Amino acid sequence: MIQNIEKYLDALFSAHASVSSLEEALNTVKSNKELKDIFNDPNVTLEEKKNVTKELFAPSVKDFIADLAANGKIDSLGEIIEAYISALNKQNNVANATITCVTEPNDEQLKGIREFVLKQENADDAQIKIVKDDSIIGGFIVTIGDKQYDFSIKTKLDSIKQKVMDSARNSAVTSENVLAVLKKDISDFELRTNSEEIGTVVRVGDGIATIHGLDHAMYGEIVVFENGVKGMVQDIKRHQIGVILFDSDSGVEQGTKVKRTHKKAGVPVGEGFIGRIVNSLGEPIDGKGEIKADGYRPVEQPAPSIVDRQSVDTPLATGILSIDSMFPIGRGQRELIIGDRQTGKTSIALDTILNQKGKDVICIYNAIGQKASSVAKLVNTLEKAGAMDYTIVVCSTASEPASLQYISPYSATAIAEYFMHQGKDVLCVYDDLSKHAVAYRALSLLLERSPGREAYPGDVFYLHSRLLERSSKLSDELGGGSITALPIIETQAGDVSAYIPTNVISITDGQIYLETEMFNSGFRPAVNAGLSVSRVGGAAQIKAMKKIAGPIRIELAQFRELAAFSQFSSDLDPETKAQLAQGERIREILKQDQYNPMPVENEVMIIYAATKKYLIDIELDQILEFEKELFEYVDTKYPEIPEAIRTSGEMSAEIEEKLVKAIEEIKEEFTK
């Protein structure tokens, strides 16, 4: 749609331009290529263009045509004339209507249609245009402004078909009673005039369609183009709306009709999604057939209110020793995983998913803008470990439109909310929100929103806050279900103060910071204990872990400080040497292989051995081997120790005594 069309209409009204003169001028310009080239040539002056129009066009329109040509808008003349006619009719209370039909209506039918138009628009007169279209089979469609009244036979047949399909879907229809169902549906069918608000595409490109005419469309509403492509209203202006497309825009062009659905964007949800891979619209992409949905949830939902929540008090063990001991995650928490590329962010999230096996936690992995090969590799890992039995993968690859990448995490959260409201615990991984912000920035710039810092729109903070606030632990009155969110953010050169990282840090309950230097030095998982934090703290730990894990962070901090100073000194006192040795051994036990999550009872045992300094006389390069043998020895000789920690979550004096005995016995054998 031409920008600032009102000023051109004002100029025509001031000149009292006649419609016939304008249409004649339009035909002249269209039929004369040389004239059109003169008007579009910026080197031709306004005066020269006025001289040309003086001889060709009526006095009431000649100056207007010259000015339009001077502004480089001569190609918009047809659009301006349509708007001028519409404005004149509105001023004179004349309704414009288009009749789409197979055969032209007779005088009596035309009279009835005219009366219908006058009544609907409360107009004094009506201008009716007839368009032939064999595809409607019979009957007719009346279009008045932005509304469409469908009396076609095609729509009647489609309505009957849909009713029969719905009936068959919702009842146990067998070959014996199918005919009876058909007869009943057809006999009970009640025809209703299908009145719809329609719009017209005025501009399309880069997955964005600008639409004129859908004046009552809501933000976030799904609209359907006449070729079947769906889109979502994302921008509302005075005379037009901006729609993001969920498919290729190749079949959408200027003039394409658009209809409202009166439905907010949403996804199907249900138990059938567990173990499946779906796209951002909830459609299966794993080749395993359709998914039976139990319901439908909007992708955008208000976050639970304060009274609907309860405090985080139940651990969600990751199986990663450094995380569970120092910055634990609780069910209903939002813990950010942040670091540079290739530092093991996805691995931590994946290990956490693997560790939920047998713990009645449904996991959702949301891949945003990832390579399809990377997602396939991850799914293969989950399948080998048996984790797909309780996992849903919501995927929008890098090749998909920015619109699908934008709604992907909201769709994943909608699926998670279905299970949460059933009283279940859900773990939701967003990998990653940096790419999500980039997709939203692309959409916003295409929608001509004002850019802010780093070209992101001003509401980019709200983008992630309204997403992550939906993760919570519901009150017992609402079933006590929870969504635990693990958003991932990629930093550039370790800069956590960049725009998107600081935004997400501020709306999460802590962060796990992965350090590039640690990763490159072979220390994995490369978790920086100094910059990582959990704002839930001990509330998300079992009592046994809380009791013994306290000294770890302090001893690691002391070790880092002493290690820095010891570089400049060759002669260290025994106490400093002992502290350094203790710190080195704590660091060593925090090393862990990928895809090898550790049960919480094993975590408690090795931390106890380290913090009580039972490892001080074990060579550093033998610590991990000793750890392995300790677990095997306890499982064989003292199985009651891990069983007691696992079931009660506590370490009684009796169990502690047995653990000390087991450590001393295995040390004796190990050091022989």
Side-chain angles (χ1 to χ4, degrees):
M1 189 177 184
I2 188 171
Q3 300 291 321
N4 301 320
I5 196 169
E6 289 86 358
K7 72 176 184 181
Y8 297 107
L9 298 182
D10 290 341
L12 289 173
F13 276 114
S14 300
H16 301 287
S18 72
V19 174
S20 60
S21 298
L22 285 167
E23 289 177 340
E24 189 179 334
L26 178 63
N27 292 329
T28 302
V29 172
K30 280 184 175 179
S31 61
N32 194 324
K33 187 178 180 300
E34 291 181 2
L35 178 63
K36 196 173 180 180
D37 291 341
I38 291 171
F39 284 157
N40 287 326
D41 190 346
N43 297 318
V44 180
T45 65
L46 175 60
E47 196 60 38
E48 289 172 329
K49 290 178 181 179
K50 281 187 176 182
N51 289 333
V52 173
T53 58
K54 193 184 293 181
E55 310 210 359
L56 291 175
F57 304 121
S60 63
V61 300
K62 62 180 182 179
D63 289 338
F64 175 79
I65 300 293
D67 288 335
L68 199 66
N71 292 325
K73 301 291 185 183
I74 197 67
D75 291 333
S76 302
L77 179 58
E79 186 183 338
I80 293 171
I81 292 172
E82 284 185 17
Y84 182 56
I85 293 170
S86 179
L88 280 173
N89 288 339
K90 191 174 180 181
Q91 192 179 67
N92 299 324
N93 200 22
V94 177
N96 287 312
T98 301
I99 301 173
T100 305
C101 54
V102 177
T103 57
E104 290 192 23
N106 56 38
D107 292 341
E108 189 177 345
Q109 289 172 327
L110 198 59
K111 182 182 176 185
I113 293 170
R114 182 180 290 276
E115 288 175 357
F116 174 79
V117 171
L118 294 175
K119 183 180 177 183
Q120 292 296 324
E121 294 297 296
N122 196 22
D124 297 327
D125 196 7
Q127 287 189 353
I128 297 176
K129 180 182 176 183
I130 298 174
V131 177
K132 289 188 177 182
D133 184 359
D134 293 338
S135 67
I136 68 171
I137 302 174
F140 48 86
I141 300 171
V142 181
T143 305
I144 312 171
D146 301 332
K147 290 186 178 178
Q148 190 177 77
Y149 301 87
D150 199 334
F151 302 93
S152 67
I153 292 177
K154 182 179 182 299
T155 299
K156 294 176 187 178
L157 293 174
D158 288 343
S159 299
I160 295 172
K161 179 184 174 183
Q162 189 60 48
K163 183 171 175 59
V164 173
M165 293 295 291
D166 291 342
S167 180
R169 195 180 294 113
N170 298 324
S171 62
V173 180
T174 63
S175 56
E176 288 79 16
N177 66 4
V178 65
L179 190 60
V181 171
L182 281 169
K183 285 180 177 178
K184 186 178 184 302
D185 286 336
I186 294 170
S187 63
D188 294 345
F189 178 73
E190 182 183 350
L191 179 64
R192 292 185 175 87
T193 303
N194 187 12
S195 172
E196 296 179 298
E197 190 177 358
I198 60 168
T200 307
V201 175
V202 295
R203 190 169 56 251
V204 64
D206 298 313
I208 303 291
T210 303
I211 298 167
H212 176 71
L214 295 182
D215 294 335
H216 300 93
M218 304 177 291
Y219 182 86
E221 183 181 348
I222 294 293
V223 296
V224 181
F225 297 81
E226 59 181 303
N227 65 343
V229 172
K230 293 181 178 178
M232 181 171 71
V233 179
Q234 197 63 24
D235 193 48
I236 298 176
K237 295 179 180 176
R238 186 175 178 185
H239 297 293
Q240 60 191 35
I241 61 171
V243 171
I244 59 175
L245 304 181
F246 292 149
D247 207 341
S248 171
D249 59 13
S250 57
V252 180
E253 56 189 19
Q254 190 174 16
T256 301
K257 298 297 181 186
V258 191
K259 294 181 181 180
R260 291 180 62 192
T261 63
H262 303 276
K263 280 177 53 178
K264 288 263 189 173
V267 289
V269 294
E271 298 285 341
F273 283 81
I274 297 174
R276 300 298 298 273
I277 308 170
V278 298
N279 63 13
S280 301
L281 303 177
E283 300 165 342
I285 55 174
D286 53 5
K288 296 181 180 178
E290 292 297 313
I291 302 173
K292 185 183 177 184
D294 299 330
Y296 181 91
R297 289 189 67 87
V299 296
E300 295 266 16
Q301 282 279 91
S305 66
I306 295 171
V307 295
D308 293 337
R309 301 170 181 253
Q310 61 175 307
S311 302
V312 175
D313 57 5
T314 307
L316 188 138
T318 65
I320 300 170
L321 183 60
S322 55
I323 295 174
D324 292 341
S325 61
M326 292 185 284
F327 15 91
I329 300 170
R331 299 189 181 188
Q333 190 177 342
R334 299 153 303 174
E335 184 81 0
L336 172 64
I337 302 172
I338 186 170
D340 285 2
R341 63 183 300 274
Q342 298 296 317
T343 52
K345 301 185 296 296
T346 301
S347 297
I348 284 182
L350 196 54
D351 280 344
T352 306
I353 292 174
L354 296 178
N355 197 52
Q356 305 315 308
K357 191 171 185 176
K359 296 180 180 177
D360 200 25
V361 176
I362 294 166
C363 301
I364 297 176
Y365 177 80
N366 177 214
I368 310 166
Q370 302 290 323
K371 293 181 293 186
S373 59
S374 300
V375 179
K377 184 181 176 183
L378 181 140
V379 170
N380 186 49
T381 302
L382 292 173
E383 285 176 342
K384 283 183 178 177
M388 281 303 291
D389 295 341
Y390 54 86
T391 302
I392 305 166
V393 177
V394 181
C395 178
S396 59
T397 61
S399 63
E400 292 181 2
S403 53
L404 290 178
Q405 295 183 42
Y406 161 62
I407 70 162
S408 184
Y410 298 101
S411 300
T413 308
I415 296 171
E417 284 173 333
Y418 168 79
F419 295 105
M420 178 179 70
H421 288 292
Q422 290 188 330
K424 298 179 180 180
D425 295 309
V426 186
L427 170 67
C428 202
V429 176
Y430 304 102
D431 191 9
D432 64 46
L433 292 188
S434 302
K435 292 185 177 68
H436 181 236
V438 168
Y440 185 63
R441 176 172 65 184
L443 290 175
S444 297
L445 291 173
L446 289 168
L447 289 166
E448 299 178 356
R449 293 174 179 168
S450 299
R453 180 178 166 187
E454 297 180 22
Y456 289 104
D459 64 340
V460 73
F461 176 81
Y462 183 56
L463 173 77
H464 290 148
S465 62
R466 75 177 188 267
L467 170 69
L468 296 174
E469 278 295 297
R470 292 161 69 179
S471 300
S472 63
K473 184 175 175 64
L474 295 180
S475 62
D476 291 333
E477 290 79 12
L478 294 175
S482 69
I483 297 176
T484 306
L486 290 183
I488 295 174
I489 287 287
E490 183 179 297
T491 55
Q492 304 294 326
D495 184 13
V496 295
S497 63
Y499 194 31
I500 301 302
T502 52
N503 280 350
V504 182
I505 286 172
S506 69
I507 55 179
T508 49
D509 305 314
Q511 67 273 348
I512 299 164
Y513 180 71
L514 301 178
E515 191 177 332
T516 305
E517 289 76 12
M518 289 178 69
F519 186 87
N520 292 337
S521 67
F523 190 97
R524 299 169 188 177
V527 178
N528 185 312
L531 293 178
S532 302
V533 67
S534 172
R535 298 190 183 102
V536 173
Q541 284 179 315
I542 61 172
K543 290 182 179 179
M545 182 71 78
K546 193 188 300 184
K547 180 179 177 182
I548 63 167
I552 286 184
R553 295 195 71 166
I554 298 170
E555 290 185 351
L556 278 177
Q558 290 174 341
F559 168 73
R560 284 196 302 270
E561 191 174 339
L562 286 172
F565 283 108
S566 65
Q567 297 178 24
F568 305 101
S569 177
S570 57
D571 190 21
L572 300 173
D573 61 275
E575 187 178 341
T576 303
K577 287 180 180 178
Q579 278 190 312
L580 285 169
Q582 175 69 355
E584 285 172 342
R585 279 149 183 78
I586 288 177
R587 272 174 57 92
E588 196 67 20
I589 68 165
L590 296 179
K591 291 181 180 179
Q592 200 168 334
D593 291 335
Q594 191 177 0
Y595 311 143
N596 187 32
M598 190 182 294
V600 67
E601 57 271 22
N602 287 0
E603 290 179 339
V604 169
M605 288 190 292
I606 191 63
I607 289 172
Y608 183 89
T611 54
K612 300 298 182 182
K613 300 186 178 180
Y614 287 107
L615 306 181
I616 202 75
D617 52 351
I618 303 233
E619 293 296 326
L620 195 63
D621 58 356
Q622 294 183 319
I623 293 292
L624 295 179
E625 187 182 345
F626 175 81
E627 177 185 291
K628 184 180 177 182
E629 291 195 15
L630 172 65
F631 297 154
E632 290 176 354
Y633 186 81
V634 170
D635 285 341
T636 307
K637 295 288 186 69
Y638 299 93
E640 65 274 16
I641 296 175
E643 180 64 24
I645 297 171
R646 185 167 51 249
T647 53
S648 70
E650 298 183 26
M651 184 183 287
S652 62
E654 182 187 352
I655 293 297
E656 185 175 354
E657 189 178 327
K658 286 184 179 180
L659 180 59
V660 170
K661 187 180 177 184
I663 293 170
E664 288 174 345
E665 288 174 3
I666 189 64
K667 270 185 69 178
E668 190 176 337
E669 289 188 19
F670 189 81
T671 52
K672 281 183 181 178

